[in-house]
Protein backbone atom coordinates (compact mmCIF):
# COMPACT_ATOMS: atom_id res chain seq x y z
CA UNK A 1 0.00 0.00 0.00
CA UNK A 2 1.52 3.34 -1.11
CA UNK A 3 1.43 6.68 0.69
CA UNK A 4 -1.22 8.11 -1.65
CA UNK A 5 -3.62 5.29 -0.75
CA UNK A 6 -2.99 5.84 2.96
CA UNK A 7 -3.47 9.62 2.83
CA UNK A 8 -6.46 9.79 0.49
CA UNK A 9 -8.04 6.37 0.81
CA UNK A 10 -7.73 5.54 4.53
CA UNK A 11 -6.91 8.78 6.38
CA UNK A 12 -10.24 10.45 5.38
CA UNK A 13 -12.21 7.74 7.19
CA UNK A 14 -9.98 7.95 10.27
CA UNK A 15 -10.49 11.74 10.42
CA UNK A 16 -14.26 11.55 9.88
CA UNK A 17 -14.66 8.76 12.45
CA UNK A 18 -12.73 10.67 15.12
CA UNK A 19 -14.71 13.80 14.24
CA UNK A 20 -18.08 12.09 14.71
CA UNK A 21 -17.31 9.83 17.68
CA UNK A 22 -15.10 12.34 19.47
CA UNK A 23 -17.69 15.12 19.20
CA UNK A 24 -20.44 12.90 20.61
CA UNK A 25 -18.27 11.71 23.50
CA UNK A 26 -17.13 15.23 24.38
CA UNK A 27 -20.69 16.59 24.29
CA UNK A 28 -21.86 13.73 26.49
CA UNK A 29 -19.05 13.76 29.05
CA UNK A 30 -17.60 17.29 29.01
CA UNK A 31 -20.46 19.65 28.27
CA UNK A 32 -18.92 22.42 30.36
CA UNK A 33 -15.97 22.52 27.95
CA UNK A 34 -18.30 22.70 24.93
CA UNK A 35 -17.76 26.41 24.35
CA UNK A 36 -15.51 28.87 22.56
CA UNK A 37 -13.94 30.33 25.72
CA UNK A 38 -14.37 33.99 24.76
CA UNK A 39 -11.83 36.61 25.85
CA UNK A 40 -13.98 39.57 24.81
CA UNK A 41 -13.33 41.49 28.03
CA UNK A 42 -9.72 42.01 26.88
CA UNK A 43 -8.89 44.12 23.79
CA UNK A 44 -12.51 44.03 22.65
CA UNK A 45 -12.10 46.22 19.54
CA UNK A 46 -9.43 43.98 18.02
CA UNK A 47 -11.51 40.91 18.91
CA UNK A 48 -14.63 42.28 17.22
CA UNK A 49 -12.78 43.29 14.04
CA UNK A 50 -10.88 40.01 13.79
CA UNK A 51 -13.84 37.84 14.75
CA UNK A 52 -16.21 39.39 12.21
CA UNK A 53 -13.74 39.08 9.33
CA UNK A 54 -12.71 35.57 10.35
CA UNK A 55 -16.22 34.19 10.77
CA UNK A 56 -17.63 35.77 7.60
CA UNK A 57 -14.69 34.42 5.64
CA UNK A 58 -14.66 30.94 7.13
CA UNK A 59 -18.43 30.46 6.76
CA UNK A 60 -18.21 31.51 3.11
CA UNK A 61 -15.31 29.13 2.52
CA UNK A 62 -17.09 26.28 4.30
CA UNK A 63 -20.28 26.79 2.28
CA UNK A 64 -18.30 27.01 -0.94
CA UNK A 65 -16.35 23.83 -0.25
CA UNK A 66 -19.45 21.95 0.89
CA UNK A 67 -21.51 22.89 -2.17
CA UNK A 68 -18.64 22.77 -4.62
CA UNK A 69 -17.26 19.39 -3.58
CA UNK A 70 -20.34 17.44 -2.56
CA UNK A 71 -22.90 18.59 -5.15
CA UNK A 72 -23.13 15.86 -7.81
CA UNK A 73 -21.52 16.86 -11.08
CA UNK A 74 -24.69 16.10 -13.03
CA UNK A 75 -26.48 18.88 -11.12
CA UNK A 76 -24.10 21.52 -12.51
CA UNK A 77 -24.39 19.94 -15.97
CA UNK A 78 -28.19 20.01 -15.76
CA UNK A 79 -28.09 23.69 -14.77
CA UNK A 80 -25.82 24.45 -17.68
CA UNK A 81 -22.90 25.61 -15.51
CA UNK A 82 -19.62 25.03 -17.40
CA UNK A 83 -16.85 23.43 -15.36
CA UNK A 84 -14.47 26.23 -16.23
CA UNK A 85 -16.93 28.89 -15.06
CA UNK A 86 -17.44 27.04 -11.78
CA UNK A 87 -13.68 26.93 -11.23
CA UNK A 88 -13.26 30.65 -11.94
CA UNK A 89 -16.12 31.44 -9.53
CA UNK A 90 -14.51 29.24 -6.88
CA UNK A 91 -11.16 30.95 -7.37
CA UNK A 92 -12.63 34.46 -7.15
CA UNK A 93 -15.04 33.89 -4.25
CA UNK A 94 -12.63 31.63 -2.41
CA UNK A 95 -9.78 34.10 -2.85
CA UNK A 96 -11.76 37.04 -1.46
CA UNK A 97 -13.18 35.02 1.43
CA UNK A 98 -9.78 33.48 2.12
CA UNK A 99 -8.04 36.85 2.34
CA UNK A 100 -10.79 38.20 4.60
CA UNK A 101 -10.60 35.14 6.83
CA UNK A 102 -6.80 35.23 6.92
CA UNK A 103 -6.75 38.90 7.93
CA UNK A 104 -9.25 38.29 10.72
CA UNK A 105 -7.47 35.16 11.88
CA UNK A 106 -4.13 36.95 12.08
CA UNK A 107 -5.72 39.64 14.26
CA UNK A 108 -7.09 36.95 16.57
CA UNK A 109 -3.75 35.14 16.64
CA UNK A 110 -1.93 38.41 17.38
CA UNK A 111 -4.16 38.94 20.42
CA UNK A 112 -3.43 35.44 21.67
CA UNK A 113 0.33 35.68 21.24
CA UNK A 114 1.24 39.27 22.07
CA UNK A 115 -1.19 40.29 24.81
CA UNK A 116 0.18 38.93 28.08
CA UNK A 117 -3.21 38.78 29.77
CA UNK A 118 -4.90 36.94 26.90
CA UNK A 119 -1.90 34.61 26.58
CA UNK A 120 -2.40 33.67 30.23
CA UNK A 121 -6.03 32.71 29.60
CA UNK A 122 -5.29 30.83 26.35
CA UNK A 123 -4.71 27.11 26.27
CA UNK A 124 -2.29 25.35 23.96
CA UNK A 125 -5.16 24.12 21.79
CA UNK A 126 -6.52 27.68 21.42
CA UNK A 127 -3.30 28.85 19.83
CA UNK A 128 -2.51 25.63 17.97
CA UNK A 129 -5.85 25.48 16.16
CA UNK A 130 -5.51 29.11 15.07
CA UNK A 131 -2.04 28.38 13.70
CA UNK A 132 -3.38 25.33 11.82
CA UNK A 133 -6.25 27.36 10.37
CA UNK A 134 -3.91 30.14 9.24
CA UNK A 135 -1.64 27.58 7.60
CA UNK A 136 -4.61 25.94 5.90
CA UNK A 137 -5.85 29.30 4.62
CA UNK A 138 -2.38 30.09 3.28
CA UNK A 139 -2.27 26.76 1.46
CA UNK A 140 -5.73 27.36 0.05
CA UNK A 141 -4.74 30.77 -1.29
CA UNK A 142 -1.55 29.26 -2.71
CA UNK A 143 -3.64 26.87 -4.82
CA UNK A 144 -5.21 29.76 -6.77
CA UNK A 145 -2.17 30.48 -9.01
CA UNK A 146 -1.88 26.75 -9.69
CA UNK A 147 -5.58 26.52 -10.56
CA UNK A 148 -5.20 29.49 -12.90
CA UNK A 149 -2.92 27.37 -15.10
CA UNK A 150 -5.81 25.06 -16.06
CA UNK A 151 -9.09 26.94 -16.26
CA UNK A 152 -11.00 24.16 -18.01
CA UNK A 153 -12.12 22.76 -14.65
CA UNK A 154 -10.59 19.34 -15.25
CA UNK A 155 -8.52 19.34 -12.05
CA UNK A 156 -11.47 20.62 -10.03
CA UNK A 157 -13.54 17.64 -11.18
CA UNK A 158 -10.95 15.30 -9.66
CA UNK A 159 -11.52 16.77 -6.20
CA UNK A 160 -15.29 16.55 -6.61
CA UNK A 161 -15.07 12.90 -7.65
CA UNK A 162 -12.68 12.15 -4.78
CA UNK A 163 -14.78 13.87 -2.09
CA UNK A 164 -18.02 12.28 -3.24
CA UNK A 165 -16.28 8.92 -3.59
CA UNK A 166 -15.10 9.09 0.03
CA UNK A 167 -18.65 9.67 1.29
CA UNK A 168 -20.06 6.90 -0.92
CA UNK A 169 -17.29 4.42 0.04
CA UNK A 170 -16.00 3.87 -3.49
CA UNK A 171 -12.95 1.59 -3.58
CA UNK A 172 -9.73 2.91 -5.06
CA UNK A 173 -10.93 6.49 -4.90
CA UNK A 174 -7.46 7.68 -3.82
CA UNK A 175 -6.18 7.07 -7.35
CA UNK A 176 -8.28 9.99 -8.62
CA UNK A 177 -6.02 12.55 -6.92
CA UNK A 178 -2.74 10.68 -7.27
CA UNK A 179 -1.36 13.03 -9.95
CA UNK A 180 -2.60 16.42 -8.70
CA UNK A 181 -0.19 19.20 -7.72
CA UNK A 182 1.50 18.71 -4.30
CA UNK A 183 0.03 21.99 -3.00
CA UNK A 184 -3.47 20.52 -3.40
CA UNK A 185 -2.43 17.35 -1.60
CA UNK A 186 -1.00 19.35 1.30
CA UNK A 187 -4.24 21.35 1.47
CA UNK A 188 -6.34 18.17 1.56
CA UNK A 189 -4.21 16.44 4.19
CA UNK A 190 -4.16 19.45 6.50
CA UNK A 191 -7.90 19.88 6.06
CA UNK A 192 -8.47 16.28 7.16
CA UNK A 193 -6.10 16.82 10.08
CA UNK A 194 -8.20 19.78 11.24
CA UNK A 195 -11.26 17.51 11.14
CA UNK A 196 -9.29 14.96 13.17
CA UNK A 197 -8.46 17.40 16.00
CA UNK A 198 -11.83 19.19 15.78
CA UNK A 199 -13.46 17.44 18.79
CA UNK A 200 -10.54 18.37 21.05
CA UNK A 201 -10.53 22.12 20.33
CA UNK A 202 -12.73 25.20 20.70
CA UNK A 203 -14.06 24.56 17.18
CA UNK A 204 -16.80 22.35 18.62
CA UNK A 205 -18.89 25.47 19.28
CA UNK A 206 -19.58 25.49 15.52
CA UNK A 207 -21.92 22.54 16.10
CA UNK A 208 -24.02 24.40 18.66
CA UNK A 209 -25.39 27.45 16.88
CA UNK A 210 -27.96 28.96 19.31
CA UNK A 211 -30.77 29.22 16.74
CA UNK A 212 -33.40 28.92 19.48
CA UNK A 213 -32.54 32.44 20.61
CA UNK A 214 -34.17 33.83 17.46
CA UNK A 215 -37.68 32.98 18.67
CA UNK A 216 -37.19 33.59 22.38
CA UNK A 217 -38.84 36.59 24.04
CA UNK A 218 -36.35 39.07 25.40
CA UNK A 219 -36.24 40.28 28.98
CA UNK A 220 -34.20 42.78 30.92
CA UNK A 221 -33.34 43.12 34.60
CA UNK A 222 -33.54 46.74 35.81
CA UNK A 223 -33.26 48.63 39.08
CA UNK A 224 -36.12 50.90 40.02
CA UNK A 225 -36.18 54.00 42.24
CA UNK A 226 -39.85 53.60 43.03
CA UNK A 227 -40.61 52.47 46.57
CA UNK A 228 -41.48 48.82 46.79
CA UNK A 229 -44.18 48.00 49.36
CA UNK A 230 -42.94 45.76 52.10
CA UNK A 231 -44.51 42.38 52.54
CA UNK A 232 -45.86 41.32 55.95
CA UNK A 233 -43.55 38.94 57.71
CA UNK A 234 -44.90 35.50 58.37
CA UNK A 235 -45.49 34.66 62.03
CA UNK A 236 -42.92 32.41 63.60
CA UNK A 237 -44.17 28.87 64.27
CA UNK A 238 -45.19 28.05 67.85
CA UNK A 239 -43.98 24.74 69.23
CA UNK A 240 -45.48 23.05 72.30
CA UNK A 241 -43.39 23.17 75.45
CA UNK A 242 -41.22 20.21 76.20
CA UNK A 243 -43.13 17.53 78.09
CA UNK A 244 -46.57 18.95 77.15
CA UNK A 245 -49.09 16.48 75.90
Amino acid sequence: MDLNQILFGIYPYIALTVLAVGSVIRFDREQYSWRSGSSQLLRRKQLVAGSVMFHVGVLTIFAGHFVGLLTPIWVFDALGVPHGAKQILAMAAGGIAGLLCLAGGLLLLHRRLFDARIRKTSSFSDIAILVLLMLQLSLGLATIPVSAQHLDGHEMLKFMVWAQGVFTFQPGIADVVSDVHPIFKMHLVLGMTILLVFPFTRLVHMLSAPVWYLGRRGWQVVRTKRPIPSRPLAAAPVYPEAGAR
Side-chain angles (χ1 to χ4, degrees):
M1 184 178 297
D2 60 3
L3 182 61
N4 186 78
Q5 179 65 30
I6 294 173
L7 292 178
F8 303 105
I10 297 177
Y11 190 43
Y13 296 107
I14 296 176
L16 291 172
T17 301
V18 174
L19 169 66
V21 177
S23 297
V24 171
I25 293 176
R26 180 172 177 182
F27 184 79
D28 181 61
R29 303 187 61 177
E30 300 182 24
Q31 292 189 15
Y32 182 74
S33 68
W34 192 276
R35 56 191 176 88
S36 61
S38 176
S39 59
Q40 63 182 359
L41 295 178
L42 305 174
R43 299 183 71 169
R44 177 178 174 82
K45 291 184 179 180
Q46 186 177 357
L47 171 65
V48 172
S51 182
V52 170
M53 290 191 292
F54 177 79
H55 284 90
V56 170
V58 78
L59 289 175
T60 303
I61 293 171
F62 177 80
H65 279 66
F66 185 84
V67 174
L69 291 176
L70 298 182
T71 300
I73 300 174
W74 63 264
V75 173
F76 293 103
D77 294 338
L79 295 174
V81 179
H83 298 160
K86 178 180 178 296
Q87 178 167 322
I88 294 175
L89 176 61
M91 291 168 56
I96 295 172
L99 289 173
L100 184 66
C101 188
L102 183 64
L106 290 175
L107 282 176
L108 298 177
L109 185 60
H110 179 270
R111 289 177 71 252
R112 295 280 177 184
L113 293 178
F114 296 100
D115 189 300
R117 297 177 301 170
I118 301 176
R119 184 70 180 269
K120 289 283 187 181
T121 61
S122 301
S123 65
F124 172 78
S125 65
D126 291 339
I127 298 175
I129 194 62
L130 268 176
V131 172
L132 286 179
L133 290 173
M134 295 303 98
L135 181 58
Q136 178 69 341
L137 284 167
S138 300
L139 288 174
L141 291 171
T143 63
I144 295 178
V146 180
S147 298
Q149 299 175 13
H150 39 76
L151 296 177
D152 58 355
H154 178 71
E155 290 292 292
M156 176 198 64
L157 290 180
K158 294 181 180 180
F159 301 118
M160 295 177 66
V161 172
W162 172 78
Q164 295 170 29
V166 168
F167 280 94
T168 54
F169 302 99
Q170 294 184 19
I173 196 62
D175 296 336
V176 176
V177 293
S178 61
D179 59 344
V180 299
H181 195 280
I183 194 70
F184 290 111
K185 292 186 176 183
M186 294 169 61
H187 188 56
L188 290 176
V189 171
L190 185 55
M192 290 183 288
T193 302
I194 292 174
L195 294 180
L196 182 75
V197 302
F198 184 98
F200 314 105
T201 68
R202 60 193 289 121
L203 293 181
V204 291
H205 76 279
M206 294 173 57
L207 303 178
S208 300
V211 294
W212 52 85
Y213 281 98
L214 298 177
R216 193 183 71 170
R217 295 181 60 185
W219 53 273
Q220 183 178 11
V221 178
V222 298
R223 296 180 63 183
T224 180
K225 295 182 179 180
R226 293 180 300 176
I228 300 177
S230 59
R231 297 181 181 179
L233 297 176
V238 178
Y239 298 100
E241 295 181 2
R245 293 183 180 271

